[in-house]
């Protein structure tokens, strides 16, 4: 089935987030080192970004490295950091050619200097691009993000800069890593795992979730189109009932 041709072009999610899972297990099944899976997964990043751009997904967030990933074996972490540096450096021209802007979320200050240098360089060189925004979640923890937002708001309250009743969803959003970015309508996780894993906990409150058994290195454009096709078959009610939504549609 060609899912791309079946998509309703008027109902494309503005923001898609992906937990790229299964690189290590993919490599193990093939008798390879885990880093081979991570390296092969870079092509799936290209596939997902190309697919998102083709159907006008405005924001694509990829969970690339969590704060918990530092607990992996040192050789794997070091290899991931080297892969990240080389990939970013090699992809800048491609990002510019495809009008893609790069952003990051997470505590990137704690990344190795070489990683931070390449990230800042890529962000600067793509900042004028107007197409899909590629957001890499690096050294990211949703719990830490929320904790830092709470601290920032509490500090403003302590200084008398805000009143208690001014603390609302909008104010919290302004203190998150994703300030100014719409929440994802769709979150995809590969490899068959069915959990969120400390990813965008605030932002995913009303997101549709799609879990696929496909390992990330095998994730292709058609897999993204299928996830969006299934997203389009769901009724997003946000606490309402279907009849209320139907009545709203009639009045539009």
């Amino acid at each position: 089935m060609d899912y791309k041709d079946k998509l309703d072009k008027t109902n494309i999610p503005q923001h898609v987030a992906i937990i790229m899972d299964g690189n290590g297990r993919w490599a193990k099944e093939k008798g390879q080192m885990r880093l081979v899976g991570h390296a092969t997964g870079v092509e799936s990043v290209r596939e997902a970004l190309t697919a998102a751009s083709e159907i006008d997904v405005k924001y694509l967030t990829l969970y690339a490295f969590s704060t918990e990933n530092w607990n992996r074996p040192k050789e794997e972490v070091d290899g991931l950091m080297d892969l990240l540096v080389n990939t970013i450096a090699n992809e800048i021209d491609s990002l510019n050619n495809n009008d893609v802007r790069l952003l990051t979320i997470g505590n990137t200050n704690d990344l190795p200097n070489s990683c931070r240098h390449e990230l800042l360089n890529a962000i600067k060189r793509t900042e004028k691009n107007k197409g899909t925004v590629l957001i890499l979640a690096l050294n990211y923890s949703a719990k830490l993000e929320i904790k830092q937002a709470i601290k920032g708001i509490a500090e403003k309250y302590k200084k008398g800069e805000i009143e208690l009743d001014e603390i609302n969803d909008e104010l919290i959003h302004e203190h998150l890593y994703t300030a100014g970015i719409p929440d994802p309508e769709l979150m995809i996780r590969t490899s068959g795992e069915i959990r969120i894993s400390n990813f965008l906990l605030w932002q995913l409150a009303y997101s549709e979730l799609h879990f696929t058994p496909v390992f990330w290195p095998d994730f292709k454009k058609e897999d993204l189109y299928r996830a969006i096709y299934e997203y389009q078959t769901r009724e997003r009610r946000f606490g309402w009932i279907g009849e209320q939504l139907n009545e709203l549609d009639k009045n539009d």
Side-chain angles (χ1 to χ4, degrees):
M1 178 184 293
D2 189 343
Y3 286 101
K4 183 181 180 182
D5 290 341
K6 295 181 178 294
L7 293 179
D8 176 0
K9 301 304 190 295
T10 68
N11 188 25
I12 300 296
Q14 186 178 15
H15 186 174
V16 175
I18 304 178
I19 299 176
M20 305 180 295
D21 196 17
N23 290 327
R25 279 167 286 164
W26 180 90
K28 185 177 180 180
E29 283 189 358
K30 298 182 180 302
Q32 301 283 347
M33 295 178 60
R34 290 175 58 86
L35 279 173
V36 174
H38 294 299
T40 305
V42 172
E43 181 56 36
S44 295
V45 172
R46 297 189 188 103
E47 289 262 341
L49 180 57
T50 299
S53 298
E54 286 179 356
I55 58 174
D56 296 325
V57 171
K58 182 59 178 174
Y59 298 91
L60 179 66
T61 297
L62 303 179
Y63 201 4
F65 192 86
S66 74
T67 54
E68 291 83 4
N69 288 153
W70 294 111
N71 296 320
R72 293 184 176 186
K74 184 178 185 302
E75 60 272 18
E76 181 174 348
V77 173
D78 290 345
L80 281 169
M81 292 298 110
D82 289 341
L83 178 63
L84 178 62
V85 169
N86 294 330
T87 300
I88 292 172
N90 293 333
E91 293 295 321
I92 293 177
D93 288 342
S94 177
L95 294 176
N96 282 328
N97 289 338
N98 291 285
D99 204 25
V100 173
R101 182 183 178 192
L102 180 68
L103 293 176
T104 61
I105 57 174
N107 185 13
T108 56
N109 288 332
D110 286 347
L111 292 173
N113 289 335
S114 56
C115 288
R116 287 192 290 108
H117 172 76
E118 290 299 340
L119 280 170
L120 291 173
N121 180 50
I123 290 169
K124 179 65 176 177
R125 289 179 59 184
T126 63
E127 65 181 356
K128 297 185 184 302
N129 293 341
K130 303 298 183 183
T132 297
V133 180
L134 174 62
I135 305 167
L136 298 181
L138 292 165
N139 197 26
Y140 176 83
S141 160
K143 286 187 174 181
L144 178 60
E145 177 182 27
I146 294 170
K147 181 170 66 176
Q148 289 178 341
I150 293 170
K151 287 182 176 180
I153 293 169
E155 188 66 28
K156 287 185 176 180
Y157 176 72
K158 181 179 179 182
K159 293 178 178 178
E161 296 176 4
I162 59 173
E163 298 294 332
L164 193 61
D165 59 6
E166 292 182 86
I167 302 175
N168 54 25
D169 286 2
E170 289 72 22
L171 184 66
I172 294 171
H173 174 75
E174 290 170 6
H175 286 78
L176 297 174
Y177 294 136
T178 53
I181 298 170
D183 293 340
E185 294 97 330
L186 173 65
M187 192 284 291
I188 302 167
R189 181 170 187 151
T190 60
S191 87
E193 300 292 351
I194 305 176
R195 56 179 178 269
I196 304 301
S197 295
N198 199 13
F199 182 50
L200 299 176
L201 297 179
W202 177 275
Q203 298 89 335
L204 293 180
Y206 283 104
S207 301
E208 297 296 324
L209 307 181
H210 175 88
F211 299 99
T212 173
V214 176
F215 288 143
W216 180 247
D218 290 329
F219 191 88
K220 305 303 179 187
K221 292 163 67 173
E222 189 69 5
D223 294 297
L224 182 67
Y225 298 142
R226 176 176 180 173
I228 293 176
Y229 175 79
E230 292 186 3
Y231 158 86
Q232 292 181 344
T233 66
R234 302 180 187 179
E235 183 179 62
R236 308 188 72 219
R237 296 193 294 271
F238 304 99
W240 295 46
I241 63 173
E243 289 81 357
Q244 289 175 300
L245 293 176
N246 292 335
E247 190 64 29
L248 284 175
D249 290 339
K250 290 177 184 177
N251 294 331
D252 282 347

